[in-house]
Amino acid sequence: MRKIIFLPVLFLFTGLSAQIIITTTDMPNVNDTFRLSTTSNIQGNDPKLTGANYMWNYTNLVPDAQRIDTFFSVSSTPFAYQFYFNNNFSYPNHKASYALRGPDISIPQVSITEVFNFIKNSSSAYDNVGFGSKINGVPSSTQRIPVDREYEFPMNYLANHISNSEFGMSVSGFGYYGQSMERIDSVDGWGNLITPFGTFNCLRVKSILNKIDTTYIDQFNFGASTPRPEEIEYKWLAANEGVPVLKIVTIGGNVSQIIYKDSLRLNVGIAEINKINNVSIYPNPVKSNLTINYNGEIIGKLKIRLKDILGNDVVTVYDGSSIKGQTKLTLDLTPYSIKTGIYFIEFLVNNEKYYTQKIIIIE
């Protein structure tokens, strides 16, 4: 009799979703790469809808473009950034776990390019501790003080937290630019999410971001603080997925960006670039002939260049056509008369950086 009663009960419970817990182990690791599709067409869905044991159906999303996000080791970024983000002695609160390329920032008279966001992933939290960038062409590091706490671990349904972060930078020939931000996070749902990539058991996080920009222009002895429209991030997190499987951003109540994990979509009208991996560069230190082995799935123009420890371009040592599969290159550095020192060798495809490694050149 017990078996007759037990089996239907077991069958009933195996059909239910289970609420998950997100921890630091579900975040990215160094050298992880993720293919992401992007669009701004919400296809009639409402990101505000959520709840316990909820079913979110976003199977009708259609990508406008795709990109690859890579989590670089901090030691592979320019030395000018490492002093602030790879220095446990002087800046333990800003000792980052990895770096992620971010979008360029433009404000009047100021160009902020080649942005690397630095992330600290610990057992208790996932913090954006600052960024390195070229400000009007000059490498600069900008710490967030306090840091921006994106997640607190362990993360459960109905958990919430509020954090405040701030950064500021002086810009030669311009003045000052800074931003303060209040983040209000709440885990407002759990259940199953369906996207064009698959079905995931998720926690849903809602982040309300209240940002204020502050500028001061030396030329006019004038400064102002300007609140931005309210920005909300809706993020669906699943176990062992590294990044949100779906992220929807609204600004002033309007959907501005949708990002979701995806497979290669051949119908997306952009040049498709896959990751460069299995890289070996030797000898290191090197005097003249440098051998590079790597495996790539690349469509585009490949450049390999050297940069000094301040992030300045030194020389392009390879400029070639599309490469795919396992490749071996032997490069003669002698004609370039490169001085002895520490450099960073970068792989770029269509002028987008996809791999960096530190090398030492000797005479």
Side-chain angles (χ1 to χ4, degrees):
M1 178 64 68
R2 287 183 180 179
K3 289 184 179 180
I4 296 175
I5 296 174
F6 174 75
L7 288 176
V9 172
L10 176 64
F11 177 79
L12 174 65
F13 279 94
T14 55
L16 297 178
S17 298
Q19 180 184 334
I20 64 170
I21 298 174
I22 296 294
T23 70
T24 182
T25 60
D26 298 309
M27 298 296 105
N29 296 305
V30 171
N31 294 326
D32 278 355
T33 61
F34 302 96
R35 180 180 296 279
L36 303 173
S37 284
T38 62
T39 182
S40 59
N41 189 341
I42 195 66
Q43 300 287 351
N45 294 295
D46 185 354
K48 295 188 292 293
L49 298 178
T50 191
N53 200 17
Y54 200 85
M55 173 68 77
W56 300 277
N57 191 339
Y58 283 84
T59 53
N60 55 351
L61 292 176
V62 179
D64 296 323
Q66 288 194 317
R67 72 171 194 247
I68 299 291
D69 275 3
T70 301
F71 286 78
F72 296 95
S73 66
V74 179
S75 61
S76 71
T77 63
F79 185 76
Y81 305 161
Q82 293 186 49
F83 180 77
Y84 294 96
F85 300 114
N86 199 18
N87 188 339
N88 199 47
F89 179 77
S90 299
Y91 303 107
N93 292 333
H94 292 80
K95 175 69 167 62
S97 305
Y98 32 66
L100 176 66
R101 282 296 299 269
D104 294 347
I105 304 171
S106 293
I107 58 177
Q109 301 182 49
V110 181
S111 173
I112 304 174
T113 60
E114 297 186 26
V115 177
F116 280 93
N117 286 302
F118 288 89
I119 308 298
K120 180 177 182 179
N121 182 28
S122 68
S123 60
S124 61
Y126 187 85
D127 296 329
N128 185 322
V129 297
F131 61 93
S133 63
K134 282 189 174 181
I135 302 176
N136 289 344
V138 179
S140 176
S141 294
T142 305
Q143 293 178 317
R144 294 181 182 270
I145 303 175
V147 302
D148 175 24
R149 177 145 294 179
E150 295 191 25
Y151 307 125
E152 286 189 341
F153 303 127
M155 190 186 304
N156 294 278
Y157 177 52
L158 298 181
N160 60 80
H161 78 272
I162 299 176
S163 65
N164 291 275
S165 63
E166 188 171 348
F167 70 82
M169 61 182 74
S170 296
V171 183
S172 178
F174 171 76
Y176 173 88
Y177 171 68
Q179 185 183 93
S180 61
M181 183 176 75
E182 178 189 52
R183 174 186 292 274
I184 305 172
D185 277 359
S186 59
V187 184
D188 65 356
W190 67 272
N192 287 321
L193 167 72
I194 308 175
T195 74
F197 189 50
T199 301
F200 304 90
N201 194 3
C202 295
L203 288 182
R204 212 286 284 273
V205 181
K206 176 183 178 181
S207 301
I208 301 174
L209 308 179
N210 298 310
K211 300 178 180 180
I212 300 176
D213 290 335
T214 300
T215 56
Y216 186 88
I217 304 175
D218 289 339
Q219 180 181 357
F220 302 107
N221 293 321
F222 174 79
S225 293
T226 306
R228 291 191 178 189
E230 183 183 70
E231 181 175 334
I232 299 178
E233 296 178 343
Y234 301 94
K235 293 168 288 189
W236 285 259
L237 305 178
N240 302 315
E241 291 295 332
V243 297
V245 290
L246 173 64
K247 178 179 178 180
I248 299 174
V249 180
T250 67
I251 298 178
N254 299 312
V255 174
S256 64
Q257 191 176 42
I258 303 166
I259 307 167
Y260 58 97
K261 292 187 73 172
D262 206 358
S263 55
L264 174 62
R265 303 290 178 180
L266 297 177
N267 61 334
V268 175
I270 61 172
E272 197 55 49
I273 305 172
N274 294 337
K275 63 185 179 180
I276 295 172
N277 51 34
N278 299 327
V279 180
S280 62
I281 301 175
Y282 59 91
N284 189 11
V286 60
K287 183 176 182 180
S288 56
N289 292 323
L290 186 67
T291 300
I292 301 174
N293 287 309
Y294 70 91
N295 186 68
E297 294 291 332
I298 305 168
I299 300 174
K301 191 75 170 179
L302 174 67
K303 287 185 179 181
I304 301 176
R305 69 184 182 189
L306 290 183
K307 306 188 83 169
D308 63 21
I309 60 174
L310 296 178
N312 299 312
D313 291 342
V314 176
V315 65
T316 296
V317 294
Y318 181 83
D319 189 349
S321 57
S322 300
I323 297 174
K324 187 175 182 180
Q326 191 68 37
T327 301
K328 179 178 180 180
L329 299 173
T330 301
L331 306 177
D332 184 6
L333 304 182
T334 307
Y336 304 109
S337 301
I338 304 170
K339 296 180 180 179
T340 297
I342 298 173
Y343 296 87
F344 293 92
I345 188 166
E346 291 186 341
F347 288 68
L348 299 96
V349 181
N350 294 337
N351 292 320
E352 290 290 328
K353 188 170 84 169
Y354 276 81
Y355 185 84
T356 303
Q357 181 174 318
K358 181 166 59 180
I359 66 169
I360 299 173
I361 296 179
I362 57 176
E363 294 181 351

